[in-house]
């Protein structure tokens, strides 16, 4: 729920975001130059964004900017976006919470936690088992870089179908094709494995 603030306070905070976006990387000795949100969106060819600011564990304000598509309606608080990789730090936080409570070991074989699906064994996993630490740091040797998503009217696969590359999944099977821990390679597929592991350990399924 939104925290109680006067309309003037909320608008001042929103206006600050609209008028003073900081650069993604701050380099020493370079002048600090902020840009307007609209200018940054135009530079990156982004038609619309939705911004929510959370302060002290509560939503302070939320607002949409731009449009959903060329000639389409404006972005609002209710506009749906694909969460994509913004879910990765949230997933990592959930894993570390369970590690802190003693329910998970970052360096244990993940197959000891997985129930609905197991990391397929092959010549690479015989050399070294996949661990949570490797999954979270993209060093588990797992395939599938990212996921294109699904149209709102298309059939949605189960998580296990995504892992196995089975229709209606639109990506190949997620597997290990290099020795775990030997190299860094971005793998959204590894985070799907982590998702299933969290479901199996907590007994709570992720919404589809």
């Amino acid at each position: 729920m939104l925290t109680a603030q006067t309309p003037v306070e909320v608008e001042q905070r929103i206006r600050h975001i609209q008028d003073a976006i900081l650069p993604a990387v701050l380099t020493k000795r370079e002048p600090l130059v902020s840009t307007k949100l609209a200018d940054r969106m135009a530079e990156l060819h982004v038609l619309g964004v939705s911004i929510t600011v959370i302060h002290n564990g509560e939503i302070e304000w939320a607002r949409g900017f731009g449009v959903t598509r060329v000639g389409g309606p404006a972005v609002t608080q209710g506009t749906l976006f694909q969460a994509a990789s913004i879910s990765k730090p949230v997933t990592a936080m959930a894993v570390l919470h369970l590690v802190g409570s003693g329910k998970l070991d970052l360096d244990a074989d993940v197959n000891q936690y997985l129930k609905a699906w197991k990391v397929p064994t092959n010549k690479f996993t015989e050399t070294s088992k996949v661990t949570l630490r490797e999954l979270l740091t993209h060093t588990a040797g797992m395939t599938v870089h990212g996921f294109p998503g699904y149209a709102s009217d298309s059939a949605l696969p189960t998580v296990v179908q995504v892992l196995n590359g089975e229709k209606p999944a639109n990506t190949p099977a997620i597997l290990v094709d290099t020795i775990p821990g030997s190299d860094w390679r971005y793998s959204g597929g590894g985070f799907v494995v982590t998702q299933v592991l969290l479901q199996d350990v907590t007994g709570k399924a992720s919404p589809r």
Side-chain angles (χ1 to χ4, degrees):
M1 59 183 296
L2 295 174
T3 55
Q5 293 185 75
T6 69
V8 172
E9 288 177 324
V10 171
E11 288 303 323
Q12 286 176 340
R13 293 176 183 274
I14 294 174
R15 178 59 60 183
H16 179 71
I17 294 296
Q18 288 181 276
D19 294 343
I21 297 293
L22 295 175
V25 178
L26 300 177
T27 304
K28 189 176 181 180
R29 297 189 182 89
E30 287 190 359
L32 181 61
V33 179
S34 62
T35 58
K36 293 182 179 295
L37 174 61
D39 293 339
R40 184 63 61 82
M41 290 171 63
E43 176 187 350
L44 299 175
H45 307 289
V46 173
L47 292 175
V49 299
S50 179
I51 298 176
T52 299
V53 173
I54 298 174
H55 182 63
N56 289 334
E58 294 185 336
I59 296 176
E60 193 166 82
W61 60 265
R63 182 169 294 183
F65 302 89
V67 294
T68 58
R69 61 182 182 277
V70 175
V75 175
T76 69
Q77 292 183 35
T79 302
L80 297 178
F81 287 86
Q82 185 176 349
S85 291
I86 197 172
S87 62
K88 287 184 173 64
V90 178
T91 299
M93 181 177 67
V95 169
L96 294 177
H97 176 75
L98 292 174
V99 170
S101 62
K103 295 180 179 179
L104 291 175
D105 182 343
L106 281 175
D107 298 306
D109 179 357
V110 294
N111 274 348
Q112 78 177 49
Y113 300 114
L114 290 165
K115 301 174 184 176
W117 180 89
K118 300 283 187 180
V119 175
T121 58
N122 57 29
K123 63 180 181 180
F124 302 108
T125 61
E126 288 177 358
T127 302
S128 181
K129 303 301 181 184
V130 173
T131 68
L132 270 171
R133 188 186 301 275
E134 292 164 347
L135 289 175
L136 295 179
T137 57
H138 300 282
T139 58
M142 303 211 80
T143 59
V144 184
H145 178 275
F147 301 88
Y150 299 87
S152 59
D153 59 351
S154 65
L156 296 179
T158 65
V159 179
V160 172
Q161 286 175 323
V162 172
L163 289 164
N164 292 331
E166 300 169 347
K167 296 297 182 183
N170 57 13
T171 46
I174 299 168
L175 47 83
V176 178
D177 69 349
T178 59
I179 298 175
S182 65
D183 197 11
W184 183 93
R185 181 181 61 191
Y186 191 93
S187 173
F191 268 77
V192 178
V193 176
T194 306
Q195 173 189 339
V196 173
L197 184 150
L198 288 173
Q199 292 178 183
D200 289 342
V201 170
T202 64
K204 298 179 180 179
S206 301
R208 291 176 58 186

PDB file of all heavy atoms in Angstrom, residues 39 42 59 84 97 102 124 135 147 154 192 203:
ATOM      1  N   ASP A  39      14.498  12.397 -21.917  1.00  0.00           N
ATOM      2  CA  ASP A  39      15.661  12.395 -22.809  1.00  0.00           C
ATOM      3  C   ASP A  39      16.361  11.041 -22.793  1.00  0.00           C
ATOM      4  O   ASP A  39      16.796  10.546 -23.843  1.00  0.00           O
ATOM      5  CB  ASP A  39      16.643  13.489 -22.393  1.00  0.00           C
ATOM      6  CG  ASP A  39      16.082  14.886 -22.614  1.00  0.00           C
ATOM      7  OD1 ASP A  39      15.153  15.028 -23.430  1.00  0.00           O
ATOM      8  OD2 ASP A  39      16.568  15.826 -21.948  1.00  0.00           O
ATOM      9  N   ALA A  42      14.326   8.581 -24.813  1.00  0.00           N
ATOM     10  CA  ALA A  42      14.486   8.821 -26.245  1.00  0.00           C
ATOM     11  C   ALA A  42      15.837   8.306 -26.738  1.00  0.00           C
ATOM     12  O   ALA A  42      15.931   7.692 -27.807  1.00  0.00           O
ATOM     13  CB  ALA A  42      14.348  10.314 -26.541  1.00  0.00           C
ATOM     14  N   ILE A  59       5.743   1.081  -0.453  1.00  0.00           N
ATOM     15  CA  ILE A  59       5.703   1.821  -1.705  1.00  0.00           C
ATOM     16  C   ILE A  59       5.461   3.292  -1.406  1.00  0.00           C
ATOM     17  O   ILE A  59       4.456   3.657  -0.805  1.00  0.00           O
ATOM     18  CB  ILE A  59       4.603   1.287  -2.632  1.00  0.00           C
ATOM     19  CG1 ILE A  59       4.912  -0.162  -3.035  1.00  0.00           C
ATOM     20  CG2 ILE A  59       4.484   2.164  -3.880  1.00  0.00           C
ATOM     21  CD1 ILE A  59       3.822  -0.795  -3.870  1.00  0.00           C
ATOM     22  N   ALA A  84      11.708 -10.045 -16.380  1.00  0.00           N
ATOM     23  CA  ALA A  84      13.040 -10.329 -16.903  1.00  0.00           C
ATOM     24  C   ALA A  84      14.087 -10.434 -15.785  1.00  0.00           C
ATOM     25  O   ALA A  84      13.797 -10.933 -14.710  1.00  0.00           O
ATOM     26  CB  ALA A  84      13.437  -9.287 -17.946  1.00  0.00           C
ATOM     27  N   HIS A  97      18.880 -15.697   2.144  1.00  0.00           N
ATOM     28  CA  HIS A  97      18.068 -15.745   3.372  1.00  0.00           C
ATOM     29  C   HIS A  97      17.977 -17.178   3.877  1.00  0.00           C
ATOM     30  O   HIS A  97      18.123 -17.437   5.089  1.00  0.00           O
ATOM     31  CB  HIS A  97      16.678 -15.185   3.100  1.00  0.00           C
ATOM     32  CG  HIS A  97      15.752 -15.284   4.275  1.00  0.00           C
ATOM     33  ND1 HIS A  97      15.854 -14.453   5.382  1.00  0.00           N
ATOM     34  CD2 HIS A  97      14.711 -16.138   4.537  1.00  0.00           C
ATOM     35  CE1 HIS A  97      14.914 -14.776   6.258  1.00  0.00           C
ATOM     36  NE2 HIS A  97      14.215 -15.784   5.782  1.00  0.00           N
ATOM     37  N   GLY A 102      20.218 -21.611   7.548  1.00  0.00           N
ATOM     38  CA  GLY A 102      20.717 -22.980   7.610  1.00  0.00           C
ATOM     39  C   GLY A 102      19.961 -23.981   6.760  1.00  0.00           C
ATOM     40  O   GLY A 102      20.202 -25.191   6.862  1.00  0.00           O
ATOM     41  N   PHE A 124      30.503 -33.491 -17.836  1.00  0.00           N
ATOM     42  CA  PHE A 124      30.917 -32.264 -17.147  1.00  0.00           C
ATOM     43  C   PHE A 124      30.533 -32.292 -15.670  1.00  0.00           C
ATOM     44  O   PHE A 124      31.298 -31.865 -14.814  1.00  0.00           O
ATOM     45  CB  PHE A 124      30.300 -31.053 -17.833  1.00  0.00           C
ATOM     46  CG  PHE A 124      30.648 -30.932 -19.285  1.00  0.00           C
ATOM     47  CD1 PHE A 124      29.700 -31.194 -20.270  1.00  0.00           C
ATOM     48  CD2 PHE A 124      31.926 -30.568 -19.682  1.00  0.00           C
ATOM     49  CE1 PHE A 124      30.017 -31.097 -21.610  1.00  0.00           C
ATOM     50  CE2 PHE A 124      32.259 -30.471 -21.027  1.00  0.00           C
ATOM     51  CZ  PHE A 124      31.301 -30.746 -21.998  1.00  0.00           C
ATOM     52  N   LEU A 135      25.460 -21.158  -9.570  1.00  0.00           N
ATOM     53  CA  LEU A 135      24.248 -20.714 -10.263  1.00  0.00           C
ATOM     54  C   LEU A 135      24.049 -19.211 -10.105  1.00  0.00           C
ATOM     55  O   LEU A 135      23.715 -18.509 -11.064  1.00  0.00           O
ATOM     56  CB  LEU A 135      23.022 -21.456  -9.716  1.00  0.00           C
ATOM     57  CG  LEU A 135      22.899 -22.942 -10.066  1.00  0.00           C
ATOM     58  CD1 LEU A 135      21.693 -23.553  -9.353  1.00  0.00           C
ATOM     59  CD2 LEU A 135      22.772 -23.139 -11.579  1.00  0.00           C
ATOM     60  N   PHE A 147      15.606 -15.496 -22.098  1.00  0.00           N
ATOM     61  CA  PHE A 147      14.303 -15.973 -22.530  1.00  0.00           C
ATOM     62  C   PHE A 147      13.522 -14.846 -23.195  1.00  0.00           C
ATOM     63  O   PHE A 147      13.431 -13.742 -22.648  1.00  0.00           O
ATOM     64  CB  PHE A 147      13.524 -16.515 -21.329  1.00  0.00           C
ATOM     65  CG  PHE A 147      14.235 -17.645 -20.627  1.00  0.00           C
ATOM     66  CD1 PHE A 147      15.150 -17.386 -19.616  1.00  0.00           C
ATOM     67  CD2 PHE A 147      14.016 -18.955 -21.002  1.00  0.00           C
ATOM     68  CE1 PHE A 147      15.822 -18.420 -18.983  1.00  0.00           C
ATOM     69  CE2 PHE A 147      14.688 -19.992 -20.373  1.00  0.00           C
ATOM     70  CZ  PHE A 147      15.596 -19.728 -19.358  1.00  0.00           C
ATOM     71  N   SER A 154      -0.627 -16.743 -25.815  1.00  0.00           N
ATOM     72  CA  SER A 154       0.033 -18.004 -26.158  1.00  0.00           C
ATOM     73  C   SER A 154      -0.002 -18.974 -24.980  1.00  0.00           C
ATOM     74  O   SER A 154      -0.193 -18.571 -23.827  1.00  0.00           O
ATOM     75  CB  SER A 154       1.487 -17.756 -26.569  1.00  0.00           C
ATOM     76  OG  SER A 154       2.240 -17.258 -25.479  1.00  0.00           O
ATOM     77  N   VAL A 192      16.647 -20.385 -13.594  1.00  0.00           N
ATOM     78  CA  VAL A 192      15.431 -21.208 -13.608  1.00  0.00           C
ATOM     79  C   VAL A 192      15.635 -22.418 -12.707  1.00  0.00           C
ATOM     80  O   VAL A 192      14.736 -22.824 -11.969  1.00  0.00           O
ATOM     81  CB  VAL A 192      15.072 -21.639 -15.042  1.00  0.00           C
ATOM     82  CG1 VAL A 192      13.833 -22.532 -15.031  1.00  0.00           C
ATOM     83  CG2 VAL A 192      14.820 -20.424 -15.921  1.00  0.00           C
ATOM     84  N   GLY A 203       8.421 -25.290  -0.618  1.00  0.00           N
ATOM     85  CA  GLY A 203       7.068 -25.786  -0.835  1.00  0.00           C
ATOM     86  C   GLY A 203       6.131 -24.735  -1.406  1.00  0.00           C
ATOM     87  O   GLY A 203       4.907 -24.927  -1.443  1.00  0.00           O
TER      88      GLY A 203
END
